[in-house]
Amino acid sequence: MEDLSRQSECGWANRERIGLISKITLFAPNAMSDTPYSPRRASPKANDDTGFDSAVESLKKSLLAPIERYFAATEDEQDVIALMLANIRAPSTRREYQKDLRKFFVAMTGIEPNVDSVLEFLHLTEKRAVAVVLKYKAKLLAIGLKEATVNRRLSSIKSLVKFARKLGVCSYTLEDVELEKVKAYRDTTGVDAQSINSVIQLIERSTVHGQRDYALLRLLWENLLRRNEVSQLNIKDFDPHESRLRILGKGQGTNDEWVKLSVATVNAICDWLQVRGNITASSPLFIALDNRSKGHRLTGDGIRKIVVNYFDAAGVKKLMSPHRIRHSGITTLLEATEGDVRKTQKVSRHVKLDVLIQYDDNRKKGQSEMTNLLADMID
């Protein structure tokens, strides 16, 4: 019995010694190192457990601490608007978003948007944010802005909130803010081919301006190009040998596509490039010729002004634009093909046939026909 008692006491002593060694080894500075380390002998004290608990808490804090060595947030990330704009590919879209968001913050705060005001808006509760945006919408309607303009400005704000949610700096949505109802493609008639031809005949092709404008208007009419598609064209996008042009279509990002050109338009572009001179592959296909911007890429607004001036000079009463020329070409093609939307789609490059069906319905003027049919049935 005496031996058993002695063995039991030794067992408990060994367990206490092992426990103490484990505590010391676990939190020794070089416990996980390959370098030999001999812990200093420590005499058991009353506060050993307190030291152990303190070490555990220290370890927990170190594990919970954020690791921000390579991906730490930078100061520029706090400018949510700038970050959102940087993620928009199209320069024209970027400019419109920037203008619309600026107008919102100036209207609602009285000052230019800054990091603090933007973050304050994004940190609002959902109910308060909806109230603010609805108040802004009421202001837009009160000054008589068109539905499409109101919707565009509201969509810019919604896009900002959606982007901020992805970044984790906003917790609400603006789904309760409804857009105004707008009927798309209400007037797609444009003008007829004869009016277009009368404008073309006004161009003085003996001048440098005339050579440029002749090639420009032929492209807008024959290939139904949008003004931004024309503005982005470079010399390398023109292939006279294959009679084709490479364009970046609407919403296509960097995905390009080739469109065929008529012989007359190929010759017109070649004549323009010959009188222009000093070109490289990366030079813009169409440049400004006025004293203020001479040599720079012709902008979308510059193209619009050229179109407006020629149609005004031709006495066309309808307000024209590059997109009106596009409308005119689509309507003319539908008339020439008796409403063949699929063939017309090859030139218009609309993704959805529904859009061209709307063009065709407008062309046929079905409502007027039905009204006259009813009118003939009564005295």
Side-chain angles (χ1 to χ4, degrees):
M1 292 295 292
E2 209 173 296
D3 290 340
L4 289 174
S5 177
R6 188 179 298 110
Q7 288 178 8
S8 177
E9 290 176 2
C10 290
W12 282 108
N14 287 335
R15 288 192 191 97
E16 290 179 357
R17 188 179 297 110
I18 291 172
L20 181 60
I21 292 173
S22 297
K23 291 179 183 179
I24 296 173
T25 305
L26 179 61
F27 295 102
N30 297 319
M32 301 300 291
S33 172
D34 294 333
T35 306
Y37 176 78
S38 300
R40 291 180 296 176
R41 185 185 300 273
S43 301
K45 295 182 179 179
N47 62 348
D48 275 351
D49 289 338
T50 302
F52 179 73
D53 292 339
S54 176
V56 170
E57 287 301 318
S58 177
L59 180 59
K60 285 181 179 179
K61 289 181 180 179
S62 65
L63 291 174
L64 292 175
I67 301 174
E68 296 182 339
R69 180 178 179 185
Y70 298 107
F71 301 104
T74 55
E75 290 185 5
D76 61 334
E77 289 181 34
Q78 294 187 18
D79 192 340
V80 182
I81 291 182
L83 196 58
M84 184 187 82
L85 296 176
N87 280 271
I88 299 175
R89 188 184 299 275
S92 58
T93 305
R94 254 196 324 268
R95 287 192 297 270
E96 293 305 314
Y97 270 94
Q98 188 172 28
K99 288 192 295 185
D100 288 342
L101 291 173
R102 176 189 171 275
K103 290 175 180 176
F104 167 66
F105 281 98
V106 170
M108 302 310 291
T109 66
I111 60 174
E112 295 290 327
N114 56 68
V115 172
D116 291 336
S117 63
V118 173
L119 288 178
E120 181 182 340
F121 170 68
L122 295 174
H123 291 165
L124 295 175
T125 63
E126 182 165 334
K127 288 184 178 180
R128 184 59 193 148
V130 169
V132 169
V133 178
L134 288 178
K135 184 178 179 180
Y136 177 62
K137 179 183 177 182
K139 287 188 174 185
L140 299 180
L141 295 174
I143 60 178
L145 292 184
K146 292 183 178 180
E147 291 85 352
T149 303
V150 173
N151 288 349
R152 194 194 68 228
R153 294 197 187 178
L154 293 179
S155 296
S156 297
I157 303 170
K158 286 189 170 189
S159 295
L160 172 64
V161 170
K162 183 178 179 180
F163 183 80
R165 280 173 59 84
K166 293 179 181 179
L167 297 181
V169 297
C170 181
S171 60
Y172 61 80
T173 70
L174 293 176
E175 293 179 359
D176 290 335
V177 178
E178 297 181 353
L179 302 181
E180 293 293 287
K181 292 183 179 180
V182 179
K183 183 178 180 181
Y185 300 98
R186 290 179 298 177
D187 182 7
T188 58
T189 54
V191 295
D192 57 20
Q194 186 177 354
S195 298
I196 298 290
N197 190 51
S198 66
V199 171
I200 296 289
Q201 298 306 314
L202 286 178
I203 300 175
E204 297 181 12
R205 296 171 58 189
S206 60
T207 66
V208 177
H209 280 81
Q211 294 283 19
R212 179 199 65 183
D213 298 346
Y214 181 67
L216 175 64
L217 288 177
R218 288 200 73 103
L219 267 180
L220 292 173
W221 168 249
E222 295 178 12
N223 291 92
L224 310 180
L225 298 187
R226 302 172 177 90
R227 66 179 186 177
N228 194 50
E229 293 170 343
V230 176
S231 177
Q232 293 183 87
L233 291 171
N234 293 323
I235 301 295
K236 61 185 177 182
D237 298 321
F238 174 52
D239 182 0
H241 304 291
E242 296 293 332
S243 299
R244 61 179 187 168
L245 193 68
R246 179 173 53 194
I247 63 172
L248 292 174
K250 180 181 178 182
Q252 297 298 315
T254 58
N255 298 317
D256 53 30
E257 58 180 312
W258 290 93
V259 296
K260 297 293 289 185
L261 303 175
S262 70
V263 174
T265 297
V266 170
N267 291 336
I269 296 175
C270 288
D271 292 342
W272 151 241
L273 294 180
Q274 186 174 1
V275 299
R276 173 187 164 182
N278 297 324
I279 59 174
T280 63
S282 59
S283 299
L285 185 60
F286 293 103
I287 59 172
L289 296 174
D290 59 284
N291 293 331
R292 182 180 179 183
S293 308
K294 190 173 183 178
H296 291 87
R297 184 182 297 276
L298 191 61
T299 64
D301 190 57
I303 295 171
R304 181 191 63 80
K305 289 177 180 177
I306 291 172
V307 169
V308 169
N309 290 337
Y310 275 112
F311 277 88
D312 283 347
V316 176
K317 295 182 179 180
K318 194 178 189 71
L319 180 61
M320 293 298 292
S321 66
H323 213 72
R324 287 283 188 189
I325 295 179
R326 178 174 163 84
H327 286 331
S328 305
I330 293 173
T331 301
T332 302
L333 282 177
L334 289 170
E335 289 177 352
T337 61
E338 297 182 354
D340 193 330
V341 292
R342 292 197 175 276
K343 280 186 177 179
T344 305
Q345 186 186 35
K346 300 296 183 183
V347 187
S348 70
R349 293 167 288 113
H350 281 109
V351 176
K352 297 180 179 179
L353 281 176
D354 291 347
V355 176
L356 290 173
I357 292 173
Q358 183 65 57
Y359 272 88
D360 200 39
D361 288 343
N362 292 347
R363 175 186 69 86
K364 293 175 180 176
K365 300 179 181 178
Q367 179 267 320
S368 176
E369 181 183 348
M370 295 299 102
T371 295
N372 289 327
L373 182 63
L374 292 172
D376 293 339
M377 295 179 182
I378 60 175
D379 294 330

